[in-house]
Amino acid sequence: MSSPAESAPAAAPTADRTTDRASAGSDPRGPRFGAAITATLLLITVVLAVAGADAAAFWLLVAITLLFAWGAFAGIRRHPYGLIFAKLVRPRLAPPVELEDLRPPTFAQGVGFAVALAGVVLSLLGLEYAVPIAAAIAFFAAFLNAAFDFCLGCQIYLLLARARIVPGV
């Protein structure tokens, strides 16, 4: 599988271009780290909902929705998981082979936000299984990224960019 880093690599930084995609590049292991945490929280949400702890599952999905919004609107570098990765994990790793364009994983956060928000809103409207279904869908995408380095939201971004629906490649 090709990762967004292979599909849309950032160019090497240059002295005269500090605002190009390279200056906005990120370690591709950061979003994968965040996806592992997100997948874990979403799996807990599904288990809580299936076990009948509906209120706990709902509030956990609300928190996850806010985290997705944070990543989508503030960017993955400012997301709490991105900050944890940058401060605690990345210093212990070898430098990345190449940097990743920030746009696909940020877009993926927006997709996660939309799915999680749909679950929250539909639950508030009385749809009984909205929380576990939305959490399961988001879990599937986060698990693909964490376990297999396949970012579903990033791939959607790349398809839309190629179709010239979003700015990109």
Side-chain angles (χ1 to χ4, degrees):
M1 297 280 151
S2 79
S3 71
E6 295 166 3
S7 302
T14 58
D16 58 343
R17 294 187 317 171
T18 57
T19 59
D20 64 3
R21 288 189 344 180
S23 66
S26 75
D27 186 331
R29 299 168 294 189
R32 194 169 182 192
F33 170 80
I37 297 170
T38 301
T40 302
L41 292 174
L42 287 163
L43 183 60
I44 292 169
T45 304
V46 172
V47 169
L48 286 170
V50 170
D54 296 332
F58 173 80
W59 287 109
L60 186 52
L61 188 60
V62 168
I64 294 166
T65 302
L66 294 173
L67 286 167
F68 275 132
W70 195 332
F73 299 114
I76 61 170
R77 282 191 173 158
R78 292 186 188 107
H79 190 279
Y81 305 154
L83 296 172
I84 291 169
F85 178 80
K87 297 289 184 195
L88 301 177
V89 178
R90 186 170 181 192
R92 291 168 173 74
L93 302 174
V97 175
E98 64 181 3
L99 298 179
E100 175 180 58
D101 184 351
L102 290 170
R103 293 173 295 182
T106 300
F107 180 84
Q109 288 287 303
V111 173
F113 171 66
V115 170
L117 183 63
V120 169
V121 170
L122 291 173
S123 177
L124 289 172
L125 293 175
L127 216 61
E128 186 177 355
Y129 298 108
V131 168
I133 290 171
I137 292 168
F139 166 77
F140 177 73
F143 179 77
L144 284 176
N145 193 356
F148 303 109
D149 197 19
F150 182 82
C151 176
L152 190 57
C154 299
Q155 295 303 317
I156 293 169
Y157 174 87
L158 293 172
L159 287 172
L160 294 174
R162 287 185 189 117
R164 302 198 190 282
I165 295 172
V166 297
V169 232

